Amino acid sequence: MKSRLFKHIYSTTLVTSLLTGGAHLALAAPLVATAEQTDVSPLSLDFAVEQALKNSVDLELLRLELDITKYETSITLREKEEIKKADIMSLADAKKKFEDAAKAIKEVVVDEVALNTQKKHHSIASAKSFLRSPII
């Protein structure tokens, strides 16, 4: 976690460099010239969609959420498997064992569906955006 002091020093340095930009911009000129010389290749629809999916922060958060849910579910299922049939004395005990396991599995399925739905949404949105963009 960054401290407030570091954040303040960073923002002060950034503002100072922007205000005294003449010398810094002169040093950056060779980099800009090099960047302008690069070849521009046409972008395909599949590549654009792939890059949009790969760089989506929302999808990455959903992937992490799914991984966490899968981990928690594996722990829950392992704990429930440790309960032997001989240890179940009542219907409430049986219900508790199987209900918790079913809820854990359901959470994984729900998170997988949410991730896949969001992927499809991002794919459609980036394809739509790509197709609407002007051709250079």
Side-chain angles (χ1 to χ4, degrees):
M1 186 171 169
K2 293 181 183 176
S3 69
R4 290 182 182 208
L5 178 63
F6 178 73
K7 189 183 256 186
H8 179 71
I9 291 171
Y10 178 75
S11 62
T12 305
T13 306
L14 182 62
V15 169
T16 306
S17 67
L18 289 174
L19 292 175
T20 61
H24 298 293
L25 292 176
L27 294 173
L31 296 175
V32 173
T34 306
E36 290 176 358
Q37 294 174 358
T38 59
D39 293 330
V40 178
S41 60
L43 186 66
S44 70
L45 175 61
D46 292 334
F47 183 74
V49 170
E50 179 184 326
Q51 289 300 311
L53 292 177
K54 188 170 116 181
N55 295 324
S56 172
V57 175
D58 294 334
L59 289 178
E60 189 58 34
L61 288 174
L62 286 173
R63 282 186 204 104
L64 290 173
E65 216 172 281
L66 178 60
D67 289 343
I68 291 168
T69 304
K70 283 182 178 179
Y71 176 74
E72 290 172 348
T73 298
S74 69
I75 291 172
T76 301
L77 293 176
R78 200 171 311 126
E79 289 172 354
K80 298 306 170 184
E81 286 174 359
E82 290 175 2
I83 299 173
K84 307 292 182 214
K85 288 183 182 180
D87 294 339
I88 298 175
M89 299 297 177
S90 68
L91 183 60
D93 290 341
K95 181 180 177 185
K96 180 72 174 150
K97 173 184 177 178
F98 295 110
E99 189 174 51
D100 288 349
K103 282 181 183 178
I105 293 170
K106 177 186 168 191
E107 287 177 11
V108 170
V109 172
V110 167
D111 283 355
E112 285 175 343
V113 168
L115 176 63
N116 290 334
T117 302
Q118 201 65 10
K119 272 185 185 176
K120 290 184 190 291
H121 173 74
H122 279 290
S123 295
I124 291 169
S126 58
K128 188 187 217 182
S129 179
F130 177 83
L131 295 172
R132 287 186 177 171
S133 65
I135 300 173
I136 299 175

